[in-house]
Amino acid sequence: MREIIYSFVIPVYNEEAVIPLLLRRLERLLAKVGEPAEVIFIDDGSSDSSPVFLANLAREDDRYCYLRLARNFGHQIAITAGLEAARGQAVIIMDADLQDPPETVLAMIAKWREGYEVVYAQRISRAAESPLKRATAHLFYRVVNRLAAIDIPQDVGDFRLVDRAAVDAFLQLPETNRYVRGMFAWIGFRQASVPYEREARAAGVSKYPLRKMLSLAASAIISFSDAPLRLAIWAGAIVSAGSLTYGVYVLLRALFWTDGLVDGWASTIVVISLLCGVNMLLTGVVGLYVGRIHAEVKRRPLYVVSRKIGFEAEGVAGKRATG
């Protein structure tokens, strides 16, 4: 088995239009790196010609590996599958759409050589994206960082270089609902940033519509913050306090200003509003915990592999991380 210094982990989902451009830039990058490297394409259930192209590439060139998941498990799970399959001493996570320029990896490697275990690429410009996309991304990172119990770097995606020690630590985290950039912030290690300008998508269309972005935001907040629980508590407390205040008002009016009161109406409103407040509190607290517990206790594998080409050892993927 040949020694691998660098592993490139690249999730792919219906990227037939951009793959030829990506490979040309990867070839130039690998030549500049000058050390043994592997490129792992994780096919997240593509329905276009991407699987055929990547499978043939893996058969013809031993630097490339192809891992096909049995269905679309999602971007964060695909990254995890690639990390479990990677053999390099340093693992580079990058997307296939070329918005994260591969050439930035050279600066990340330089930081790694200085002793940093996690080197993340930090966006200093998103000029190629629409104003709406920039605004929502700006809001997302600020809200998540404000609510999270850990410090998640702002304007940082999944584009990063990770040392083998940090990869092994990451793979010990067993949760099903995964927010990769938050998980890397949680494990610690020496971390550094490399600034870069985010480019326009080279070809094809975005695979992250608003629905997926909202799902990722919810996963990030719930996984690394108890703010939703505290919000439910405060909402319940405010409604309960309001109902009690109104109850006092009704009582005082019944004692001193009896005109305009309908028998039984005040007590009914007070009881209903009080119970609604308590219900909001308990439902919010219990519901979020139960939902996450239900997802975790099933202990299903994070993903299922249907095909792999170019791996020297069998069983390198398809497992679930365990603590």
Side-chain angles (χ1 to χ4, degrees):
M1 179 182 298
R2 65 191 180 103
E3 181 185 17
I4 302 295
I5 304 299
Y6 302 107
S7 293
F8 290 81
V9 169
I10 306 177
V12 175
Y13 180 61
N14 291 340
E15 296 288 5
E16 62 181 4
V18 77
I19 287 176
L21 303 174
L22 171 64
L23 289 177
R24 283 200 291 269
R25 291 176 69 173
L26 277 177
E27 286 291 337
R28 291 197 295 267
L29 175 61
L30 292 175
K32 292 180 181 178
V33 168
E35 294 182 273
E38 65 178 359
V39 179
I40 303 174
F41 289 105
I42 304 92
D43 177 10
D44 193 22
S46 296
S47 57
D48 61 2
S49 63
S50 299
V52 176
F53 191 95
L54 295 175
N56 289 334
L57 177 66
R59 291 191 190 97
E60 296 169 358
D61 192 330
D62 63 1
R63 296 174 301 169
Y64 293 93
C65 303
Y66 174 67
L67 187 70
R68 178 171 174 81
L69 305 187
R71 64 170 176 83
N72 179 245
F73 284 88
H75 183 258
Q76 304 294 285
I77 299 298
I79 289 175
T80 303
L83 291 173
E84 288 186 336
R87 298 168 290 178
Q89 295 304 305
V91 182
I92 297 98
I93 305 168
M94 58 184 293
D95 288 337
D97 57 14
L98 291 177
Q99 286 187 285
D100 299 331
E103 295 76 16
T104 307
V105 171
L106 297 174
M108 298 164 75
I109 290 175
K111 283 286 186 182
W112 177 60
R113 293 295 184 187
E114 292 176 13
Y116 292 99
E117 287 104 343
V118 178
V119 183
Y120 51 83
Q122 192 162 32
R123 301 159 183 156
I124 59 174
S125 171
R126 309 173 70 111
E129 298 177 348
S130 68
L132 177 61
K133 175 71 172 179
R134 292 198 300 270
T136 54
H138 178 86
L139 179 63
F140 167 76
Y141 286 112
R142 270 65 187 175
V143 170
V144 169
N145 203 48
R146 178 79 178 215
L147 298 180
I150 58 174
D151 184 19
I152 301 176
Q154 296 183 1
D155 298 315
V156 172
D158 297 314
F159 186 26
R160 66 188 64 222
L161 180 150
V162 188
D163 182 78
R164 170 51 55 186
V167 171
D168 292 341
F170 173 88
L171 294 178
Q172 295 301 310
L173 305 182
E175 55 256 45
T176 299
N177 295 281
R178 305 177 79 78
Y179 180 58
V180 168
R181 63 200 74 167
M183 294 167 72
F184 276 119
W186 184 90
I187 63 174
F189 291 94
R190 292 189 64 199
Q191 303 200 10
S193 66
V194 170
Y196 79 107
E197 294 188 4
R198 188 167 173 82
E199 299 179 357
R201 168 177 271 274
V205 297
S206 173
K207 306 307 184 299
Y208 252 95
L210 180 61
R211 176 181 58 82
K212 287 189 176 182
M213 291 181 64
L214 291 175
S215 177
L216 182 65
S219 181
I221 293 172
I222 294 174
S223 295
F224 294 96
S225 173
D226 62 356
L229 301 178
R230 288 185 277 113
L231 177 62
I233 292 172
W234 281 109
I238 290 171
V239 173
S240 299
S243 67
L244 291 174
T245 301
Y246 184 70
V248 172
Y249 163 75
V250 171
L251 178 61
L252 293 175
R253 183 165 181 175
L255 292 175
F256 300 105
W257 303 284
T258 57
D259 58 302
L261 289 178
V262 177
D263 291 341
W265 177 83
S267 59
T268 301
I269 292 298
V270 170
V271 171
I272 290 176
S273 59
L274 177 63
L275 292 179
C276 284
V278 173
N279 183 61
M280 288 174 62
L281 187 153
L282 296 179
T283 302
V285 172
V286 175
L288 288 174
Y289 275 107
V290 170
R292 284 306 174 105
I293 293 171
H294 179 253
E296 299 297 338
V297 299
K298 290 183 288 188
R299 304 302 297 169
R300 291 175 180 169
L302 292 177
Y303 57 91
V304 178
V305 175
S306 66
R307 190 180 187 189
K308 53 188 177 182
I309 302 173
F311 295 97
E312 297 176 2
E314 294 297 322
V316 295
K319 59 188 178 183
R320 180 189 177 109
T322 54

